[in-house]
Amino acid sequence: MCNVPYRIQRILPNQIYQLEKLSDLSLINISREELLCRYANGEVTLQGGSRGCQETSEVVGNQRVQIFDALSDDDKRIVNERLAIVKEIDAIFGATATHGDLKKYVHSRGCVKSLATVRRWYDVWTKSEKNILSLVPGKSGPRTHRQSKEVMELTYQAIEDVYLTPQRETIVDTHDALCAEINHINRTRLEPIKAPSLSTVRRIIKSMDGFIVTEARHGRRAAEEKYRVSGKGPATHHILQRVEFDHTPVDKFVIDDRTMQALGRPYLTGIFDCLSRYPLAMVISFEFPSELSVLRALRQAIMPKPNISERFPIVENAWHAYGIPSTLVVDNGMEFHSNTLRQAARELNIELLFCPKGRPNYKGKIERYFGTFSRDVCHKLPGTTFSSIEERGDYKSIEEATLLLSELEELAYLWLLDIYSQRGHRNIKTTPALEWQKGLELVEPLFPENKEKLDVMMTKRFTRKLNHEGIYYENLKYNSMELGSFRRYQRTLGKLDVRVDPEELGHIWVKDPIAQDFLRVPCVDPEYANGLSLLQHKKICEMAREEKKAAIDIPKLLEAKKRFRDRVKEMTENHLIRQRQRGARFITPTLLEDQIDAQIEPPMDDIPLSDVPLFDVTQRSERPGA
């Protein structure tokens, strides 16, 4: 009987109802108890004649239930006045009231309404089986236009050609195009037609389907976003089951701690647990969304973070977020499609879930978290850019910037751990910190075997052939005694599996083909490579090539490193914000002047003789086999 109309044909003995199917007039019998049971379960709807009031309804499940209480106060008053008139007519004349009877009633009662109006109310009310909702004003049927059919066709054609286009022309433009078309037609007509007014065109457009209008003017994606139905989202049952990952530019201009220049807007990279609403990682830097920033944030999310109070003593609460997530929800940025992230996800047993393109609402929890961070932190600080140009107004963001990057990090962690995580969240009915602790009682987060194994997983992978000089990567040489032993069986195993950390070129990881583990191999020039990132090294080599250096060696790279440091300082002091941002990407503690100087080997005269070990000297002739 689902969605099939029936009519009660007759009631048989023993309270059996005979129903007639309206589509083919077939008959079925059903007991009164079964019919009432189906009615109570919502499987049966008793239909009257209330066809003219479908807009005045509430939605229950997939059905619309028409109710009188949903009407406005004015509509209720009008319906009650009309109901009193039709009920009085029915009491006097009954269902057989004729046109003459209604005429006598209107004249005898001194009714202010015309005879045709009263006749229409009475007919609608009786045909709807005396349903009160049939008397709702303006709901007796579709609205009819006073314009002729020809004018209406021209109007709809003009709306389709002018208004419903990606150019998003105005209603005035649409009306002008319609008037021009009608004037052109009137040149060949004996009886000219009159163009509709601007208000008529505006009323027609406003009565059109909003989804269709938005789709035609802004695209289907914008229409689906505007008229989407928001729900609870995917269900999660334990912490780390579903984790969302994203980047956003911070609505705040900050100042570099070294140059005291406004560098522009840094980026915030965040990882967010969907069940507890507890952030797992928050990295603020000038690194553009890239493979490096993704690995940096993922490493922070997995590892415990006991040193927050050491870095920022003002923060009172600890950050208890850690563990390997089960599902990582990301967008379609290039940094999330890198082979390094895919390889790390496979090794950590993380499922990568990519959202549809242009659908940020698929990871709406972290998007809302970013918005809360901007409103609670960034918009209250000097130098904020706000969320839009309209909201910013005449505020001079660059001139008002007085906050250092390190100070912004301190305020961000203070807000994250002492305010956001400790206050109630309306969706989880408790605080994110308490919800996370509750989740820890049910699920114990997983970790890699040790930190070094995680460091190997968070690396770029490539293959190299081994020779007596070791392994070359980006003009840097890596070698050790253990690596030399691999050459004995390399002929049968081919190239070696090599891993490199983009943030630390002081060493690489080489897979032992026999033991099936990774060996740490240092760079043969540690004074240059230790603490150097891949991005910095490429920039230094580029500066050396620009000066047409025939051969790149370490002494020349050290000289280029000094020039690179000077160039970074020059870029961060530049008057262009974009140039300062690029320079800030290369700033690391290894580029500070005092640390560079500390890497220079001390003179031999400064080495105390007591620190020199004693060696046994054996003459050549005394060696075995000499």
Side-chain angles (χ1 to χ4, degrees):
M1 298 177 63
C2 182
N3 296 328
V4 178
Y6 285 84
R7 178 173 54 197
I8 299 178
Q9 186 69 16
R10 60 179 55 88
I11 301 177
L12 302 177
N14 299 326
Q15 296 182 346
I16 299 298
Y17 285 75
Q18 189 177 69
L19 305 182
E20 181 183 43
K21 190 175 182 180
L22 298 184
S23 59
D24 56 5
L25 303 181
S26 60
L27 299 176
I28 63 171
N29 295 336
I30 185 172
S31 65
R32 180 179 181 182
E33 289 75 10
E34 183 180 357
L35 185 61
L36 292 176
C37 181
R38 292 194 178 190
Y39 176 79
N41 294 332
E43 300 176 8
V44 174
T45 301
L46 303 180
Q47 296 183 348
S50 55
R51 296 182 177 87
C53 48
Q54 295 181 0
E55 297 182 12
T56 310
S57 60
E58 290 184 354
V59 177
V60 179
N62 293 327
Q63 299 178 352
R64 293 183 177 269
V65 182
Q66 301 164 351
I67 59 176
F68 179 74
D69 288 339
L71 301 176
S72 64
D73 293 338
D74 291 338
D75 286 348
K76 289 180 180 178
R77 177 182 53 80
I78 295 174
V79 169
N80 288 328
E81 293 176 356
R82 296 178 178 181
L83 182 62
I85 294 175
V86 296
K87 277 190 172 182
E88 188 175 5
I89 295 174
D90 185 67
I92 297 174
F93 304 105
T96 60
T98 62
H99 181 76
D101 295 335
L102 294 178
K103 186 176 181 180
K104 292 178 182 178
Y105 173 82
V106 171
H107 290 303
S108 62
R109 295 297 190 274
C111 186
V112 295
K113 296 297 181 182
S114 65
L115 175 61
T117 301
V118 175
R119 175 87 245 184
R120 185 175 68 253
W121 293 347
Y122 186 75
D123 290 344
V124 171
W125 184 63
T126 53
K127 290 179 180 178
S128 65
E129 299 179 5
K130 300 182 180 181
N131 191 328
I132 187 176
L133 295 177
S134 63
L135 300 175
V136 176
K139 302 298 187 296
S140 58
R143 182 183 178 90
T144 58
H145 298 280
R146 298 179 181 178
Q147 306 293 336
S148 64
K149 181 178 180 182
E150 181 182 8
V151 173
M152 292 306 301
E153 290 179 354
L154 292 173
T155 303
Y156 281 113
Q157 187 64 40
I159 292 174
E160 182 177 356
D161 295 341
V162 180
Y163 190 78
L164 300 181
T165 60
Q167 289 72 30
R168 305 173 193 172
E169 297 191 52
T170 64
I171 299 178
V172 176
D173 296 331
T174 306
H175 182 258
D176 292 342
L178 174 61
C179 293
E181 180 65 20
I182 291 179
N183 291 336
H184 178 72
I185 294 176
N186 286 337
R187 295 176 184 175
T188 59
R189 292 175 62 97
L190 295 177
E191 296 182 1
I193 58 177
K194 184 179 179 181
S197 64
L198 177 62
S199 60
T200 300
V201 177
R202 180 179 288 108
R203 185 170 57 251
I204 293 174
I205 292 177
K206 288 185 177 181
S207 66
M208 297 178 66
D209 190 313
F211 185 91
I212 296 177
V213 174
T214 305
E215 181 183 16
R217 292 172 63 85
H218 301 275
R220 185 172 186 83
R221 184 180 301 168
E224 292 176 349
E225 178 69 17
K226 182 177 180 179
Y227 294 98
R228 72 183 188 276
V229 178
S230 178
K232 295 181 63 176
T236 53
H237 305 287
H238 56 79
I239 59 175
L240 298 174
Q241 180 180 357
R242 179 184 173 92
V243 173
E244 297 179 354
F245 196 164
D246 203 2
H247 315 272
T248 185
V250 178
D251 294 339
K252 176 77 177 69
F253 278 95
V254 298
I255 298 176
D256 177 36
D257 297 69
R258 294 176 60 235
T259 63
M260 302 305 294
Q261 296 289 326
L263 298 178
R265 299 169 60 185
Y267 281 88
L268 170 63
T269 302
I271 302 180
F272 196 76
D273 180 64
C274 292
L275 178 67
S276 64
R277 307 300 201 272
Y278 198 55
L280 304 178
M282 185 174 67
V283 179
I284 300 177
S285 68
F286 283 97
E287 179 69 29
F288 298 147
S290 62
E291 183 182 61
L292 176 60
S293 61
V294 168
L295 297 179
R296 184 184 298 166
L298 186 57
R299 181 187 284 112
Q300 185 191 61
I302 295 175
M303 293 298 296
K305 296 167 269 291
N307 59 342
I308 294 297
S309 58
E310 298 177 4
R311 290 182 56 196
F312 307 108
I314 193 175
V315 179
E316 296 181 356
N317 292 280
W319 197 357
H320 299 289
Y322 53 83
I324 301 175
S326 300
T327 302
L328 197 61
V329 185
V330 297
D331 56 29
N332 282 274
M334 294 182 60
E335 66 274 12
F336 294 117
H337 285 278
S338 65
N339 292 329
T340 303
L341 178 61
R342 292 178 180 271
Q343 178 67 24
R346 283 193 292 267
E347 294 178 352
L348 293 170
N349 197 24
I350 299 176
E351 179 185 0
L352 290 178
L353 181 60
F354 293 92
C355 299
K357 294 183 179 180
R359 301 300 294 271
N361 54 297
Y362 275 70
K363 47 181 178 58
K365 293 181 176 61
I366 193 170
E367 297 287 351
R368 182 178 292 273
Y369 166 72
F370 284 159
T372 304
F373 173 80
S374 297
R375 290 188 300 271
D376 290 0
V377 180
C378 301
H379 295 178
K380 298 179 181 179
L381 299 175
T384 177
T385 61
F386 296 97
S387 300
S388 62
I389 297 178
E390 293 78 7
E391 187 179 359
R392 187 189 314 171
D394 295 333
Y395 186 79
K396 306 297 182 182
S397 300
I398 301 178
E399 297 177 5
E400 297 292 335
T402 59
L403 203 66
L404 302 177
L405 178 61
S406 58
E407 294 174 339
L408 176 61
E409 287 186 285
E410 182 179 15
L411 291 175
Y413 283 113
L414 174 63
W415 173 83
L416 168 65
L417 299 177
D418 291 350
I419 299 178
Y420 174 80
S421 300
Q422 304 301 321
R423 69 187 181 191
H425 196 288
R426 65 177 182 179
N427 290 330
I428 60 176
K429 311 304 180 184
T430 183
T431 66
L434 292 178
E435 188 69 14
W436 177 265
Q437 293 294 338
K438 179 182 177 182
L440 290 178
E441 298 175 359
L442 302 176
V443 176
E444 185 64 30
L446 300 177
F447 287 102
E449 293 181 6
N450 49 57
K451 184 178 181 300
E452 286 193 350
K453 185 172 183 179
L454 179 62
D455 292 339
V456 174
M457 294 178 181
M458 299 288 111
T459 53
K460 298 186 67 173
R461 180 179 181 179
F462 60 96
T463 57
R464 287 292 187 272
K465 188 175 181 179
L466 180 65
N467 56 31
H468 67 282
E469 293 184 342
I471 292 177
Y472 278 92
Y473 176 74
E474 295 289 342
N475 296 320
L476 295 177
K477 183 169 67 174
Y478 299 84
N479 207 349
S480 65
M481 295 299 296
E482 294 84 355
L483 187 63
S485 63
F486 290 178
R487 297 183 59 209
R488 301 177 181 177
Y489 44 81
Q490 183 192 15
R491 182 174 301 176
T492 59
L493 297 177
K495 295 183 178 181
L496 297 179
D497 184 5
V498 181
R499 306 286 184 90
V500 59
D501 185 354
E503 291 191 277
E504 175 57 62
L505 296 184
H507 62 272
I508 61 174
W509 301 88
V510 181
K511 185 176 181 180
D512 187 338
I514 301 300
Q516 294 297 312
D517 58 4
F518 282 87
L519 173 68
R520 178 171 174 165
V521 180
C523 181
V524 298
D525 299 292
E527 61 176 334
Y528 170 77
N530 284 345
L532 189 71
S533 70
L534 179 60
L535 185 65
Q536 296 168 350
H537 174 63
K538 288 185 176 181
K539 188 64 177 180
I540 293 172
C541 294
E542 180 183 348
M543 294 175 62
R545 287 193 297 269
E546 289 177 356
E547 298 182 4
K548 299 180 180 180
K549 299 295 182 179
I552 299 178
D553 52 23
I554 295 303
K556 293 179 181 179
L557 285 178
L558 288 174
E559 181 182 354
K561 190 173 182 178
K562 182 179 182 303
R563 295 195 305 274
F564 170 74
R565 185 173 62 253
D566 297 337
R567 176 59 178 159
V568 169
K569 182 178 180 181
E570 178 185 349
M571 291 172 65
T572 55
E573 293 177 351
N574 195 291
H575 67 284
L576 297 177
I577 291 297
R578 194 66 176 176
Q579 188 76 353
R580 296 179 193 175
Q581 284 183 317
R582 291 172 180 164
R585 298 177 64 196
F586 301 104
I587 296 178
T588 61
T590 57
L591 288 177
L592 297 178
E593 193 72 36
D594 54 346
Q595 294 192 12
I596 295 296
D597 295 338
Q599 295 177 359
I600 302 177
E601 296 181 359
M604 293 297 296
D605 297 339
D606 296 339
I607 301 178
L609 297 180
S610 59
D611 295 339
V612 178
L614 299 177
F615 297 93
D616 295 332
V617 181
T618 303
Q619 295 183 2
R620 184 179 180 85
S621 59
E622 296 179 358
R623 292 194 311 170

